[in-house]
Amino acid sequence: MSYFRAENLSLHFGGLKAVDAVSFAVEKGEILSIIGPNGAGKSSIFNLISRIYRPTSGRIYFEDQDITEQPPYDIAKLGIARTFQNIELFENASVLANLLVGRHRHSTTQLWQELLFLPSVRANEKVHRRRVEQVIEFLDLEPYRDKLISGLPYGVRKVIELARALCSEPKLILLDEPSSGLNVEETDDMSFWIRDLKNELGITVLMVEHDMSLVTRVSDRVIALNYGRVLAMGSPSEVQQHPDVVAAYLGA
Ligand SMILES: Nc1ncnc2c1ncn2[C@@H]1O[C@H](COP(=O)(O)OP(=O)(O)OP(=O)(O)O)[C@@H](O)[C@H]1O
């Protein structure tokens, strides 16, 4: 049984088949990238996994559990985190505050306990802080810890978005176009972070990405989509050279 599995997944918007009977598996510790031209259905697959959309048909399994009907909050609790193509951070809060929000799924205290600031709340707070500091160190974010998001360059915000997802201690992370808006040097840095997620933290990665050089550098396997269907699946070079993939990118 695979670590993560999508089985015959479909998502229809009226007559449009955004995702059309897509099946794929992700093995534990693997980096799997989904590529495809605009409108191919990549984001829709992420939105199905994170339960923003409900599939028209098909099933999703994670760690041998059918998660197709789980509410979005439970998906995070199961250990699946995601980043967004358009950064989704609190602009007028500090980096630290944004990262503490990423600890939300581990919160075990109730609101009334927090209002009374009971010892259990203080102990919990310490654990959250410790984890956040580890992520700050891991991603070299120390210089920005107390800065407001609104004053930070785009490239740094992109790393903070990744950091926030890491604070939830995910087992599987969905990265939605991690290089979008980054320059060449920042994309290089991002490729190192992504490899470190796998090699140092043992996190399984499912990534949607347009930048083929990043895809080639970090991916163990690649899936190419077009019009909601799988065109090819295999190593980065196999998929890039596949005639149907070449044709899709050339608009043939
Ligand atoms: N909420 C929606 N309502 C109607 N159609 C939608 C909706 N979301 C996506 N679509 C359509 O579904 C198809 C797949 O879109 P999707 O965003 O998944 O593609 P994508 O591969 O992520 O594209 P891009 O690379 O441009 O982000 C497109 O034709 C899109 O217009």
Side-chain angles (χ1 to χ4, degrees):
M1 184 68 114
S2 299
Y3 192 55
F4 174 91
R5 196 153 50 93
E7 215 173 72
N8 265 319
L9 211 52
S10 292
L11 175 67
H12 299 175
F13 294 108
L16 177 86
K17 296 179 175 176
V19 179
D20 188 10
V22 168
S23 297
F24 65 91
V26 189
E27 302 307 328
K28 194 169 193 310
E30 182 179 39
I31 301 181
L32 181 69
S33 295
I34 304 177
I35 63 164
N38 290 336
K42 307 179 295 295
S43 299
S44 295
I45 288 183
F46 268 21
N47 288 336
L48 286 172
I49 299 171
S50 42
R51 304 291 295 109
I52 292 172
Y53 295 143
R54 180 181 285 268
T56 308
S57 59
R59 313 299 302 173
I60 303 170
Y61 300 90
F62 179 57
E63 293 190 313
D64 296 339
Q65 190 183 340
D66 186 337
I67 62 166
T68 321
E69 307 294 336
Q70 299 273 352
Y73 180 71
D74 281 352
I75 296 295
K77 271 192 171 167
L78 288 170
I80 301 179
R82 79 174 280 183
T83 62
F84 289 86
Q85 197 173 329
N86 304 310
I87 298 174
E88 308 234 341
L89 295 167
F90 296 106
E91 287 282 310
N92 294 313
S94 69
V95 171
L96 187 64
N98 270 275
L99 297 188
L100 281 166
V101 171
R103 293 291 307 166
H104 184 63
R105 88 166 171 101
H106 290 278
S107 191
T108 51
T109 50
Q110 310 282 323
L111 181 62
W112 67 269
Q113 293 174 310
E114 290 179 15
L115 290 172
L116 294 171
F117 208 53
L118 295 179
S120 58
V121 174
R122 287 199 292 275
N124 217 10
E125 183 85 15
K126 269 193 192 156
V127 173
H128 293 329
R129 291 248 168 188
R130 206 173 304 132
R131 176 62 195 164
V132 166
E133 292 300 340
Q134 282 167 353
V135 172
I136 287 175
E137 198 185 326
F138 181 73
L139 292 175
D140 285 346
L141 288 171
E142 290 91 348
Y144 309 106
R145 180 197 284 105
D146 300 313
K147 299 250 165 37
L148 291 186
I149 299 291
S150 55
L152 294 176
Y154 188 84
V156 177
R157 293 184 196 202
K158 206 79 185 169
V159 180
I160 295 165
E161 168 95 349
L162 174 61
R164 187 172 59 173
L166 284 187
C167 284
S168 71
E169 296 179 58
K171 300 173 191 169
L172 170 68
I173 192 164
L174 312 178
L175 303 178
D176 198 351
E177 299 205 17
S179 85
S180 76
L182 299 185
N183 62 33
V184 174
E185 199 181 312
E186 290 166 337
T187 302
D188 270 357
D189 289 345
M190 187 56 84
S191 75
F192 287 115
W193 297 135
I194 294 170
R195 274 196 297 235
D196 282 353
L197 296 184
K198 168 186 162 164
N199 296 334
E200 299 206 7
L201 303 179
I203 298 174
T204 306
V205 179
L206 182 58
M207 172 171 97
V208 163
E209 181 55 56
H210 277 289
D211 183 326
M212 282 311 294
S213 81
L214 175 62
V215 168
T216 307
R217 269 180 287 166
V218 306
S219 313
D220 295 304
R221 282 189 307 135
V222 176
I223 296 176
L225 291 182
N226 201 16
Y227 296 115
R229 295 195 73 103
V230 176
L231 285 183
M233 210 183 285
S235 71
S237 61
E238 278 167 359
V239 170
Q240 256 181 303
Q241 288 162 20
H242 193 287
D244 291 348
V245 176
V246 174
Y249 274 92
L250 292 175

